[in-house]
Amino acid sequence: MTDEQKQFEDLEQRLHGRKMEYDMIAVPDAAVLHSVQTGIRQAARRRKSRVRWYMSSISAATIILLFTGCIRVSPAFASFVEQWPGMEGIVSMIRQDKGLQMAIDQSLLQKVGITDEHDGASVTIDGIITDESRMVIFYTMKGMKDPEKGEYDIDLLDENGKNLPVAFGYSSPKPTSDENVYENMIDVVFTNEATPPDELSVVFKTRGKANPGEWKITLPVDKNLTKGMKRVLPVNQTLTVDGQRIDVKQATLYPTRLVLDVAFDPKNTKKVFGLSDLQLVDEQGCAWRTDTTMGEDEQSIYFESMYFSIPKKLTLQGSGHSGLNKDELNLSLDLESGTITGGPPTMKFMGSQIAGKDRILMFSVPDMEGGFALGFTEIKDEAGKTYNVPTSSYRSGDGDSSGITTVHSTLENGAKIKGHLQMKLSTYPMKIKAPFSLEIPLDN
């Protein structure tokens, strides 16, 4: 074995070791879910159109994508690790996303290294990768109070100080080998109406009133690194899954991800929330996985990118879909008696509680296998007033039997609601098994 080969082998072992450390970290479910939902909540405040972000899982593994083993550490990636000492944990997460790894190989990482420090604590933006579809922001925290508990909100602002109209997700930061140093990344999705800003400000704010604090890092965004790097692959084929028609329109390749656009036939008998266990498989059996879906009747499904390694053959595979009969989407909830009229029979009301000006509704639903949660597009009281649901939290195993998830949905300014609520479901954890595959045409 040459010295260079030994260096790469040592690096492989180091990264694998860090991944195992991450997998074994005992992160409280509530903290993780609270943090993920915070990202979704902030995105909801910013967007003008209706956009929903479905995570593939609600566990800590949501943020650490599955390692497929199809791509090994390259010299450029090894150099990246060595130039960022102490960052093996973040690098280990990147390594599970083959598209991001190849983007780094192509020198598309913009190094930043800007820090805001005060009151003995600091936040550093280490670097970003961005194209027209996605931005990944890597950051490090030092001296922060209990960062693992997810007690921080994040705002993303443009050069005018306005909130970016984007969806983004993040989990609680993870500890490094250095004492009191934590690291993580923010994963940003640009919708059709949004593009990367010329200047970005990332703001970290504490949630608790006991120790208020704010850290703001402003940086220029080098959009020239990926300018013009976009490739559209027309598909124009129709899938039939469990009797439901899904039009697969096109795949768009960016350096950071592949975006597959699909549309569900309005004549379908079921409301399809999304397709389950999706992956793109090439001629070598290498799986390119998905972690995010956005949209409703028309959806954009996000996969790892193969921009710099176009396969000879590409097949879309899945195990079925998550959906409900359309006549089960609407329901009425009597807050006094707790009776639900309509809706899916497996949905049970467990009561409500007042939290300041808000009301928290508690439900039990089947375990969220496949990652699709309980969500609402519309909630109205007897007077016709509409209420928003800015946050929801989920916990498995708290019901009266196994296979049950409890959901706490917050109705904003709903403390004084009385009588009946008219509710319409946007998602529900009902998974239907119906395996399918579809070849994606490639023009090499």
Side-chain angles (χ1 to χ4, degrees), residues 241-367:
V241 181
D242 181 42
Q244 313 305 306
R245 288 171 56 88
I246 300 104
D247 294 325
V248 184
K249 296 182 176 181
Q250 67 179 26
T252 306
L253 265 172
Y254 300 92
T256 65
R257 64 168 27 123
L258 180 147
V259 183
L260 187 69
D261 292 320
V262 303
F264 303 112
D265 192 327
K267 296 179 181 179
N268 286 340
T269 59
K270 294 181 179 179
K271 169 71 173 180
V272 179
F273 306 131
L275 301 174
S276 304
D277 303 320
L278 282 181
Q279 60 182 9
L280 291 167
V281 181
D282 66 16
E283 71 279 1
Q284 297 179 344
C286 182
W288 306 78
R289 304 184 188 277
T290 180
D291 65 343
T292 307
T293 299
M294 296 184 66
E296 293 188 25
D297 293 332
E298 294 188 0
Q299 292 187 355
S300 293
I301 306 169
Y302 299 92
F303 293 83
E304 298 170 282
S305 176
M306 59 202 72
Y307 188 94
F308 299 105
S309 179
I310 303 296
K312 296 179 181 179
K313 182 180 178 182
L314 198 59
T315 303
L316 176 68
Q317 297 180 353
S319 65
H321 71 82
S322 177
L324 278 180
N325 292 327
K326 289 183 177 180
D327 59 6
E328 294 180 329
L329 295 175
N330 294 290
L331 59 99
S332 175
L333 170 63
D334 186 336
L335 290 173
E336 295 183 5
S337 68
T339 303
I340 294 178
T341 304
T346 51
M347 178 179 176
K348 308 298 181 184
F349 182 60
M350 300 175 64
S352 69
Q353 59 189 36
I354 305 302
K357 296 181 179 180
D358 302 331
R359 179 185 292 269
I360 300 174
L361 303 178
M362 295 172 283
F363 301 94
S364 70
V365 297
D367 270 349

Side-chain angles (χ1 to χ4, degrees), residues 8 23 30 33 42 121 149 208 276 335 359 401:
F8 294 157
D23 291 341
L33 298 178
Q42 295 201 21
K149 295 182 179 180
S276 304
L335 290 173
R359 179 185 292 269
S401 63

Side-chain angles (χ1 to χ4, degrees), residues 114-124 140-147 152 180-182 204 206 211-217:
I114 299 177
T115 301
D116 185 15
E117 182 175 7
H118 55 82
D119 300 327
S122 68
V123 178
T124 300
T140 302
M141 288 180 163
K142 294 182 180 180
M144 306 291 273
K145 182 177 176 61
D146 298 326
Y152 296 88
N180 212 19
V181 177
Y182 293 76
F204 294 79
T206 56
N211 297 291
E214 180 176 307
W215 292 260
K216 182 178 181 180
I217 302 95

Side-chain angles (χ1 to χ4, degrees), residues 33-90:
L33 298 178
H34 192 186
S35 186
V36 171
Q37 289 300 317
T38 296
I40 299 174
R41 183 187 72 236
Q42 295 201 21
R45 285 206 305 261
R46 300 185 178 110
R47 66 200 177 210
K48 295 181 180 179
S49 61
R50 185 181 298 278
V51 177
R52 300 188 181 277
W53 190 346
Y54 305 124
M55 307 303 287
S56 62
S57 170
I58 59 167
S59 67
T62 300
I63 307 302
I64 302 177
L65 302 182
L66 295 175
F67 172 51
T68 62
C70 297
I71 295 180
R72 292 177 62 83
V73 174
S74 69
F77 196 62
S79 175
F80 166 72
V81 178
E82 298 305 325
Q83 291 175 29
W84 284 20
M87 292 283 292
E88 288 94 340
I90 289 293

